[in-house]
Amino acid sequence: MMTEPQNYALEARNIYQSYQNGAGTLVNALQSVSFGVRPQEFVSIIGPSGAGKSTLLGLLAGLESQTSGEVFLHNRQVTAKQRLGNVGFMPQKDALAPWRTALDNAVAGLEVKGTPRKEATMLALNLFRRMGLEDFARTYPYALSGGMRQRVALARSALAAGDLLLMDEPFGALDALTRSDMHKWILEVWQSMRKTILLVTHDIQEALVVSDRILVMSARPGTMVAELVVDLPRPRTIEIQTGQAFNTMREQLAKKLESTT
Ligand code: ADP
């Protein structure tokens, strides 16, 4: 049977990644990982610690090359070098430059791309306004709360490049209230900037609140074991989050995760 070719913003095909461990033996961190993310889709990856989630995101961002397999951006095969700088990447730690104001941190990615200073500032200020950051544009990172710093880091990655945004457990260190606040901002960025998002998280609730689709990874070697389409209306209000459909999905995911470890 002929299948329609899929239009993907990001596609991974048969990705393997191995590392030499301390003893000199080869360890497979990723094995035969294949998936696609459609334009403007919000996909989350959940999996146990050591599943290779960070490894996967790092290589998709172009920080390193895969051992084998192919990566496509908008259906065009790209090397790690071609990916680097062409996808937005938000790491676990905010990594803001302490000597730069919030606004100067946010324009960092645009600077690298060669966007003129005036235009970069305008774009960043615009986004700051939508993210409730306008009063903190001239503030230095040390004077910002953890949640505020992550919000600036989110603005920076969102401005960085293209339509694709990869996030590696960016809210892990935040308390529950600040986390749920961040979900609001990430959805604001996603919708207003028409981004395609791939989020790594270990938090089932988080994945269910933000995603169109959730991919489940198993550990050692990391491989995709399940997929769940989150066909719930948005915004995912408290009513939806306490409803039967949400709970059923939460249970399904918990069971899947349990069976992978
Ligand atoms: P996760 O993000 O799901 O917790 P990681 O991607 O951090 O998982 O790690 C997956 C596996 O790959 C782990 O066993 C880890 O030790 C190994 N690994 C990751 N990066 C390297 C590296 N640079 N060198 C050697 N081993 C690595």
Side-chain angles (χ1 to χ4, degrees):
M1 197 178 80
M2 289 279 284
T3 45
E4 281 284 307
Q6 281 277 5
N7 176 30
Y8 287 126
L10 168 71
E11 192 188 358
R13 269 192 219 161
N14 212 17
I15 299 284
Y16 284 74
Q17 186 70 313
S18 23
Y19 294 110
Q20 205 105 27
N21 72 5
T25 34
L26 221 50
V27 176
N28 285 333
L30 298 172
Q31 179 172 295
S32 187
V33 171
S34 298
F35 67 96
V37 184
R38 288 183 280 277
Q40 288 162 48
E41 194 180 20
F42 199 136
V43 174
S44 292
I45 295 178
I46 58 172
S49 174
K53 304 183 296 296
S54 289
T55 300
L56 178 61
L57 232 59
L59 72 85
L60 291 174
L63 301 178
E64 58 180 359
S65 296
Q66 62 275 22
T67 304
S68 67
E70 294 106 51
V71 178
F72 299 80
L73 291 181
H74 292 285
N75 312 308
R76 195 170 72 90
Q77 195 180 337
V78 283
T79 61
K81 212 171 151 192
Q82 289 167 325
R83 302 193 288 273
L84 192 64
N86 280 313
V87 289
F89 179 54
M90 186 173 173
Q92 287 179 19
K93 291 232 175 76
D94 69 37
L96 298 179
W99 61 88
R100 288 178 148 220
T101 62
L103 188 73
D104 286 345
N105 264 290
V107 299
L110 289 168
E111 264 175 22
V112 174
K113 265 201 310 189
T115 310
R117 176 77 209 188
K118 238 183 163 166
E119 190 187 331
T121 305
M122 223 178 59
L123 286 168
L125 274 176
N126 225 321
L127 184 58
F128 268 31
R129 237 167 263 132
R130 285 204 304 272
M131 294 181 75
L133 284 169
E134 68 270 37
D135 292 340
F136 301 92
R138 305 266 162 242
T139 307
Y140 286 88
Y142 74 85
L144 296 169
S145 68
M148 206 69 101
R149 278 201 297 272
Q150 281 306 71
R151 223 190 291 175
V152 174
L154 171 60
R156 177 178 60 186
S157 341
L159 288 168
D163 56 332
L164 192 62
L165 184 49
L166 309 177
M167 295 188 288
D168 187 6
E169 300 216 30
F171 316 132
L174 304 175
D175 62 87
L177 260 181
T178 313
R179 258 180 114 101
S180 85
D181 210 33
M182 284 307 297
H183 300 155
K184 194 176 73 188
W185 300 118
I186 185 64
L187 291 170
E188 162 70 26
V189 164
W190 176 55
Q191 275 157 347
S192 69
M193 298 177 83
R194 307 181 134 261
K195 291 277 180 184
T196 303
I197 295 184
L198 183 62
L199 170 79
V200 161
T201 178
H202 60 260
D203 187 329
I204 293 178
Q205 176 88 11
E206 177 164 286
L208 283 168
V209 168
V210 297
S211 317
D212 293 320
R213 198 151 54 88
I214 299 171
L215 305 172
V216 183
M217 272 182 93
S218 74
R220 278 183 211 99
T223 184
M224 295 294 179
V225 288
E227 179 195 52
L228 180 83
V229 175
V230 189
D231 49 357
L232 296 170
R234 294 178 186 272
R236 312 249 161 94
T237 56
I238 297 295
E239 284 70 38
I240 289 173
Q241 289 184 45
T242 48
Q244 170 128 45
F246 195 96
N247 269 312
T248 306
M249 286 187 202
R250 187 180 8 229
E251 264 168 43
Q252 279 174 350
L253 285 171
K255 285 205 181 106
K256 279 277 178 230
L257 269 179
E258 201 178 61
S259 68
T260 65
T261 48

